[in-house]
Amino acid sequence: MAKKNKTVRPKARLPRGLRDVGAHEIRAMSDMLDAIRNVYDIYGFEPLDTPAFEYSDALGKALPDQDRPNAGVFSFEEEDGQWVSLRYDLTAPLARYVSENYDGLAKPFRRYQTGPVWRNEKPGPGRYRQFTQFDADTVGTDNVAADAEICMLAADAIERIGIPRGDYVIKINNRKVLDGVLQTAGIDPVAPENAEQRMTVLRAIDKLDRLGREGVALLLGAGRKDESGDYTKGAELAPEQIAPLLDFVSASDGDLDTILTRLRSLVGDSERGQEGVEELRQIGALLAAAGFEDDRVRIDPAVVRGLDYYTGPVFEAELTFEATGDDGRAVRFGSVGGGGRYDGLVARFKGVVVPATGFSIGVSRLYAALEALGKTNSATATGPVVVLVMDPEHTADYQAMTRDLRTAGIRSEMYVGTSGMKAQMKYADKRHAPCVIIQGDDERAAGEVTIKDLVEGSLLSTKIEDNKEWRESRPAQISVKRDELVEAVKSVLARHNG
Amino acid sequence: MAKKNKTVRPKARLPRGLRDVGAHEIRAMSDMLDAIRNVYDIYGFEPLDTPAFEYSDALGKALPDQDRPNAGVFSFEEEDGQWVSLRYDLTAPLARYVSENYDGLAKPFRRYQTGPVWRNEKPGPGRYRQFTQFDADTVGTDNVAADAEICMLAADAIERIGIPRGDYVIKINNRKVLDGVLQTAGIDPVAPENAEQRMTVLRAIDKLDRLGREGVALLLGAGRKDESGDYTKGAELAPEQIAPLLDFVSASDGDLDTILTRLRSLVGDSERGQEGVEELRQIGALLAAAGFEDDRVRIDPAVVRGLDYYTGPVFEAELTFEATGDDGRAVRFGSVGGGGRYDGLVARFKGVVVPATGFSIGVSRLYAALEALGKTNSATATGPVVVLVMDPEHTADYQAMTRDLRTAGIRSEMYVGTSGMKAQMKYADKRHAPCVIIQGDDERAAGEVTIKDLVEGSLLSTKIEDNKEWRESRPAQISVKRDELVEAVKSVLARHNG
């Protein structure tokens, strides 16, 4: 009896919330990222790369809990006892970089960065623990021209990758205006003791899309019970405080002047509120001067963004078209990116305020939208020409043919397996080869090669039903002299791409 | 007295062995990676991406030590108690991927992958804990044509990025030939009890470059004491066993036939050894058929590669030119990549042998060599045209000018800071702006803009010494009608690039 192998073999599988990415997506994604990069370059931003992990304290997370060091972020302890974490966004590393290199930087400092970020959160459909962001930020100026420019940048990038005008909108709001409305309602928005209540208000408004005015009203008041019976505690505002907030978030109708007039009256004599409205007016004017109209960029007071570090203008990029999902139902992609002004992040290190504004694209969501629009077919994605190995004795000849094709810039390969003809044809099919090259004894004797057009062949095979007729007519198959191989393959490829 | 801020601020710094990468390197590196990618695409390989971390056991590392989970690799424990590790190369994830998706893959499976890998080792000059690799592998065939192709691929990739023929060489050897030599010397190379001795022999031969024949002879025998007095234990071979090994590693002189004849006699009647020589002969024939001569790819028995998982042919890409380092001394770059046949990696999961061969480029080393050759100037690296803000009241006008330039595809930006003229000019200088656009009151009244050519200007400033003359002649500065701005800037840029 044969000896049983008792070695325990590891199972080949990925941890949950992680995935492999195949050729099609890599190529199309790379085209998409190149398009965005091109826009950011034209705008004068410079690329920057930071490493995958950093000191946990530099990333702005509290020292990880010894017992659960990986809650939210992935962290590990260095041999010297210091904690490091995988980056969870690209903004925290930027703040560290700017602080570390402040004196040497041309200011305002304008950089873009793309790359994976990691979050140790519960994965779900389309929600991964590793995903890609693409950020652009301007650091070192409180000039609203920088905010206006970020909105143009976002709109141009989305259009450049192939989302048509009208199918997206960049929405702008200003945290200061919301603060003004709160102030008018008798709540000091910057008092530390009100910070939690203010965040509850932000989170409630953020749900307008999903819950409507009535749902938000409940969350601004005592609280709300959802369909499952779960109860969410509210911001405990009185009805007379809630009313102006609801007026505020619904103030997006009309042209820019109409909206600004409405906002001015809602913030009353709150200085902070009036400052916010004035910033929105200036941003609107700059956008108009650059030819960005309502159909691309507009003010929408319902946009608040969930993050608490925003201090002024906030932006959200939204896709407005509907696509049909795999299940036949309508899919809306909604937000594909957002950002805003954050004047406190660099201050964490330097102790002085370094104003900054930026925008982050959720790359996977944007890609999913492009896929739904049928716009992810990269030009480089065609399969290789496959040179079949009819006779292993003559491998060197087949290798030389492959070499000639490659030298001419034609994507091609000699079959490097050891199986027979049938398996080789199957391989070529599976690789989506546009054609295969064949040289058997007869062809060799005649100094010829045969080119079998698989694209044409599979089209014809739907028309010719008789097996015999097929074999006799040998459709989509031509023989040429060996030294005419490259030119002949070029014409086959040209026919398919033409 | 002002209240003292008692908050402890984190220090802005990176953990050791990590670094930020700036615009110049990112752009040039991206050009380099695109060139390699292009070659691999032409060869018919397909891209694949795997996530940054995987289950530790799937990556082939023993379960990390609870006390030192980060020795060698970076590992952390998931909430369910399973260990995951950041990938330390791209081969282990490939083995996991192939095993997981085996049935659905077109075989041989040919993929390339590039990305960062992480090693928790002591950093040093040019040695980082995060670095980039670029791998290509063919999985699922024991055909030596696949090995020969990998060597062509490596040579073509290195040439495509700009290393001239003659400045690099791909060296090939075969582990089986070394095994044959050992067998002839009376050591069974595949017996488990000899595994350690065989690795000691491999490591000794690997040092031929540095220690010469005599040093290697000591390491093959009793051992060797280095200059610092440290003693390295040897492989304990007898003098009559050492002699054929030294003949083997020095057998690289002469043409292919001469080398093969010499190797055949060295392996004697070892079947494994003769098999190895025959594989080298076939690889040599295929390379010759594809036009790869001795000046690009050649057999060198001194190449053994340190990794123990190679089972047949091994490859090493070496740069042969010398460059001058920052300290004026000659620098040799040596190995910039390597690979070989490994038939056991996928077997770890599947229990059956899945033969594979591949090559990994050490991207940073290759980049350093390109830098030394002065070939890292990316075409996209010119600074932006900067539109100065002479009068903040007219920001919208400056924004519109910037918009016009961008729409014409000209990299440009409006200054978005809040400082005065002098600081704006300094900013433009620091950004390497080719020119700045100026519109003050006079120009506005005349419907004109001024273009100041900074490249030309800085050239002239070395010639004109008189400050007054400078001001009066206003060199490198032209005024044009506002609607001629784009065309005028285009000609300034064309002059610099011409």
Side-chain angles (χ1 to χ4, degrees):
Chain A
M1 227 177 92
K3 240 168 106 181
K4 223 174 164 181
N5 187 350
K6 288 212 174 167
T7 316
V8 176
R9 290 198 300 266
K11 199 169 160 353
R13 82 291 183 212
L14 279 177
R16 71 202 168 97
L18 294 176
R19 67 188 190 110
D20 299 313
V21 183
H24 169 78
E25 182 174 337
I26 291 174
R27 290 207 171 93
M29 181 68 92
S30 162
D31 289 351
M32 184 180 110
L33 296 179
D34 280 350
I36 298 174
R37 203 173 277 125
N38 183 257
V39 169
Y40 291 8
D41 274 330
I42 291 280
Y43 269 74
F45 286 71
E46 302 284 350
L48 172 71
D49 266 354
T50 62
F53 59 87
E54 305 222 4
Y55 283 122
S56 306
D57 67 347
L59 290 182
K61 288 280 159 184
L63 200 66
D65 181 348
Q66 275 285 142
D67 295 327
R68 291 187 67 226
N70 289 328
V73 296
F74 293 99
S75 304
F76 35 91
E77 200 179 359
E78 291 259 55
E79 302 227 324
D80 61 5
Q82 299 199 71
W83 281 88
V84 295
S85 302
L86 289 177
R87 65 186 181 207
Y88 56 87
D89 71 5
L90 301 173
T91 313
L94 171 65
R96 189 269 311 153
Y97 177 84
V98 168
S99 306
E100 193 175 347
N101 302 282
Y102 194 76
D103 292 335
L105 296 177
K107 280 170 289 276
F109 176 64
R110 300 149 68 74
R111 84 86 181 82
Y112 64 84
Q113 180 170 3
T114 184
V117 301
W118 295 268
R119 294 194 190 162
N120 198 7
E121 289 163 357
K122 205 178 152 180
R127 254 178 94 94
Y128 294 94
R129 296 199 292 170
Q130 171 177 325
F131 56 95
T132 302
Q133 293 190 329
F134 202 140
D135 284 23
D137 294 80
T138 297
V139 182
T141 181
D142 57 8
N143 190 340
V144 289
D147 299 290
E149 190 189 41
I150 289 283
C151 296
M152 301 178 203
L153 180 84
D156 277 347
I158 288 173
E159 235 170 77
R160 182 72 62 91
I161 66 163
I163 310 273
R165 198 166 298 186
D167 277 354
Y168 73 92
V169 63
I170 312 295
K171 295 177 170 178
I172 312 174
N173 190 11
N174 196 324
R175 283 277 173 90
K176 291 178 186 170
V177 179
L178 174 66
D179 284 348
V181 177
L182 287 175
Q183 212 157 19
T184 305
I187 301 160
D188 180 358
V190 292
E193 66 271 21
N194 293 338
E196 209 188 310
Q197 190 180 34
R198 181 169 171 268
M199 270 312 291
T200 309
V201 170
L202 282 177
R203 275 195 297 266
I205 295 176
D206 210 17
K207 296 195 177 108
L208 183 68
D209 231 20
R210 199 157 53 79
L211 303 181
R213 275 178 73 108
E214 280 170 47
V216 173
L218 291 173
L219 287 173
L220 290 173
R224 177 178 174 275
K225 190 186 277 188
D226 67 18
E227 294 89 53
S228 73
D230 281 350
Y231 190 80
T232 307
K233 209 174 157 299
E236 308 275 12
L237 300 186
E240 65 274 20
Q241 293 176 311
I242 293 173
L245 277 170
L246 289 178
D247 288 346
F248 167 66
V249 299
S250 318
S252 60
D253 287 341
D255 63 9
L256 181 62
D257 282 340
T258 312
I259 297 173
L260 291 174
T261 306
R262 204 177 293 138
L263 293 182
R264 251 183 228 109
S265 102
L266 277 166
V267 297
D269 54 7
S270 156
E271 213 174 289
R272 191 173 171 81
Q274 292 293 350
E275 193 181 302
V277 179
E278 171 59 15
E279 287 177 2
L280 287 178
R281 187 195 65 76
Q282 288 178 26
I283 292 174
L286 288 172
L287 287 168
F292 286 77
E293 306 291 339
D294 269 14
D295 59 343
R296 308 184 70 189
V297 178
R298 66 168 167 262
I299 290 171
D300 184 339
V303 167
V304 293
R305 307 282 305 155
L307 291 171
D308 62 355
Y309 63 62
Y310 292 120
T311 52
V314 288
F315 329 115
E316 187 143 324
E318 215 177 288
L319 300 187
T320 50
F321 68 94
E322 280 190 353
T324 309
D326 292 339
D327 55 1
R329 286 201 289 184
V331 180
R332 281 197 63 178
F333 292 96
S335 172
V336 289
R341 177 163 284 282
Y342 53 98
D343 289 348
L345 275 195
V346 178
R348 288 201 324 108
F349 297 100
K350 294 190 66 70
V352 292
V353 168
V354 177
T357 187
F359 187 84
S360 178
I361 291 179
V363 166
S364 318
R365 271 230 201 151
L366 196 53
Y367 180 83
L370 272 192
E371 185 106 69
L373 288 172
K375 294 191 172 177
T376 56
N377 291 313
S378 178
T380 53
T382 48
V385 173
V386 175
V387 178
L388 303 187
V389 175
M390 306 290 289
D391 181 355
E393 281 289 303
H394 292 279
T395 299
D397 294 344
Y398 303 121
Q399 183 63 69
M401 292 175 203
T402 312
R403 181 70 192 164
D404 289 350
L405 292 170
R406 286 174 178 164
T407 303
I410 298 167
R411 187 166 198 233
S412 52
E413 58 178 72
M414 180 184 77
Y415 174 75
V416 291
T418 48
S419 301
M421 259 304 272
K422 215 174 140 187
Q424 295 191 32
M425 280 304 297
K426 233 172 118 180
Y427 172 82
D429 262 339
K430 215 162 178 177
R431 293 298 311 281
H432 305 291
C435 60
V436 295
I437 312 300
I438 301 170
Q439 190 184 54
D441 289 341
D442 294 350
E443 283 108 340
R444 186 173 309 107
E448 291 187 343
V449 288
T450 295
I451 302 169
K452 198 177 154 81
D453 185 332
L454 300 189
V455 180
E456 185 73 8
S458 91
L459 280 178
L460 290 176
S461 72
T462 60
K463 292 179 199 146
I464 305 178
E465 286 176 11
D466 187 295
N467 221 338
K468 189 160 162 278
E469 181 196 345
W470 174 269
R471 272 200 309 277
E472 278 166 9
S473 67
R474 288 180 160 255
Q477 188 160 317
I478 50 161
S479 289
V480 297
K481 288 285 165 199
R482 165 65 178 88
D483 60 7
E484 289 159 3
L485 170 66
V486 170
E487 287 312 312
V489 169
K490 272 187 185 166
S491 14
V492 168
L493 298 181
R495 203 161 62 219
H496 297 159
N497 300 329
Chain B
M1 227 176 91
K3 237 168 110 181
K4 223 173 167 180
N5 187 347
K6 287 212 177 168
T7 316
V8 176
R9 290 199 298 266
K11 199 168 158 358
R13 82 290 183 214
L14 279 176
R16 71 202 167 95
L18 295 177
R19 69 190 189 107
D20 300 312
V21 184
H24 168 78
E25 183 173 336
I26 291 174
R27 290 206 171 93
M29 181 69 91
S30 163
D31 288 352
M32 184 179 108
L33 296 179
D34 281 349
I36 298 173
R37 203 173 277 126
N38 184 257
V39 170
Y40 291 8
D41 275 331
I42 290 280
Y43 269 74
F45 286 71
E46 302 284 350
L48 171 72
D49 266 354
T50 62
F53 59 87
E54 305 220 4
Y55 283 122
S56 306
D57 67 345
L59 289 182
K61 287 283 159 184
L63 202 66
D65 181 348
Q66 276 285 141
D67 297 325
R68 290 187 68 227
N70 288 328
V73 297
F74 293 99
S75 304
F76 35 90
E77 202 179 358
E78 291 259 55
E79 301 226 328
D80 60 6
Q82 300 201 69
W83 281 89
V84 295
S85 302
L86 289 177
R87 64 185 180 209
Y88 56 88
D89 72 4
L90 301 173
T91 313
L94 171 65
R96 188 269 311 152
Y97 176 85
V98 169
S99 306
E100 192 175 348
N101 302 283
Y102 194 77
D103 292 335
L105 296 177
K107 280 171 287 278
F109 176 63
R110 301 149 67 75
R111 84 87 179 81
Y112 64 84
Q113 181 170 4
T114 184
V117 301
W118 295 268
R119 294 195 190 163
N120 198 7
E121 289 163 357
K122 206 180 151 179
R127 255 179 93 91
Y128 294 95
R129 296 198 293 169
Q130 170 177 323
F131 56 95
T132 303
Q133 292 190 330
F134 202 138
D135 284 22
D137 293 80
T138 297
V139 182
T141 180
D142 56 8
N143 191 340
V144 288
D147 300 289
E149 190 190 40
I150 288 282
C151 296
M152 301 177 203
L153 179 84
D156 277 347
I158 288 174
E159 235 171 76
R160 181 73 61 91
I161 65 163
I163 309 273
R165 199 166 296 187
D167 276 355
Y168 73 91
V169 63
I170 312 296
K171 295 177 170 178
I172 312 174
N173 191 11
N174 196 323
R175 282 278 173 91
K176 291 178 185 170
V177 180
L178 175 66
D179 284 348
V181 177
L182 287 175
Q183 211 157 20
T184 305
I187 302 160
D188 179 359
V190 292
E193 66 271 21
N194 294 337
E196 208 187 313
Q197 190 180 35
R198 181 169 171 270
M199 270 312 292
T200 309
V201 170
L202 283 176
R203 275 195 297 267
I205 295 175
D206 210 19
K207 294 193 178 111
L208 183 69
D209 231 21
R210 200 156 53 80
L211 304 181
R213 276 178 75 106
E214 280 170 49
V216 172
L218 291 172
L219 287 173
L220 291 172
R224 178 178 174 275
K225 189 185 273 184
D226 66 18
E227 294 90 52
S228 74
D230 280 350
Y231 190 80
T232 308
K233 208 172 157 299
E236 308 276 10
L237 299 187
E240 65 273 18
Q241 292 176 311
I242 294 173
L245 278 170
L246 289 179
D247 288 347
F248 167 66
V249 298
S250 318
S252 60
D253 287 341
D255 63 10
L256 181 62
D257 283 338
T258 312
I259 296 173
L260 292 174
T261 306
R262 203 178 293 140
L263 293 181
R264 250 182 227 111
S265 103
L266 278 167
V267 297
D269 53 6
S270 155
E271 212 175 289
R272 191 174 170 81
Q274 293 293 351
E275 192 182 304
V277 179
E278 172 58 16
E279 286 177 4
L280 287 178
R281 187 196 66 75
Q282 289 178 25
I283 292 174
L286 288 171
L287 287 168
F292 286 77
E293 306 290 339
D294 271 12
D295 60 342
R296 307 183 71 187
V297 179
R298 66 167 166 263
I299 290 170
D300 185 338
V303 167
V304 293
R305 307 283 307 158
L307 291 171
D308 63 355
Y309 63 63
Y310 292 120
T311 51
V314 288
F315 329 115
E316 185 143 329
E318 213 176 290
L319 300 187
T320 50
F321 67 93
E322 282 190 351
T324 309
D326 291 339
D327 54 2
R329 287 201 288 183
V331 181
R332 283 197 63 177
F333 292 97
S335 172
V336 289
R341 179 163 283 282
Y342 53 99
D343 289 349
L345 276 192
V346 178
R348 288 201 325 107
F349 296 100
K350 292 190 68 70
V352 292
V353 167
V354 177
T357 186
F359 187 84
S360 177
I361 290 179
V363 166
S364 318
R365 270 226 205 155
L366 197 52
Y367 179 83
L370 271 192
E371 185 106 69
L373 288 172
K375 294 189 172 177
T376 56
N377 291 313
S378 178
T380 53
T382 48
V385 173
V386 175
V387 178
L388 303 187
V389 175
M390 306 291 289
D391 180 355
E393 282 288 303
H394 293 278
T395 299
D397 294 344
Y398 303 121
Q399 184 63 68
M401 293 176 203
T402 312
R403 182 69 192 163
D404 289 350
L405 292 170
R406 286 174 178 164
T407 303
I410 298 167
R411 185 165 200 232
S412 52
E413 58 179 71
M414 180 183 77
Y415 174 75
V416 292
T418 47
S419 301
M421 260 303 271
K422 218 174 137 183
Q424 295 190 34
M425 281 303 297
K426 235 172 115 178
Y427 173 82
D429 261 338
K430 216 162 177 177
R431 293 297 311 279
H432 304 291
C435 60
V436 295
I437 312 300
I438 301 169
Q439 189 184 56
D441 289 341
D442 294 350
E443 283 108 340
R444 186 174 308 106
E448 291 185 345
V449 287
T450 295
I451 303 168
K452 198 176 155 84
D453 184 333
L454 299 190
V455 181
E456 185 75 7
S458 91
L459 279 179
L460 290 176
S461 73
T462 59
K463 292 181 199 143
I464 304 178
E465 287 176 11
D466 187 295
N467 220 337
K468 190 161 163 277
E469 183 197 343
W470 174 270
R471 273 199 310 276
E472 278 166 8
S473 68
R474 289 182 158 254
Q477 189 159 318
I478 50 162
S479 289
V480 298
K481 288 285 165 201
R482 167 64 179 88
D483 59 9
E484 290 160 3
L485 170 66
V486 171
E487 288 312 311
V489 169
K490 273 187 184 168
S491 16
V492 168
L493 298 181
R495 204 160 61 218
H496 297 159
N497 299 328

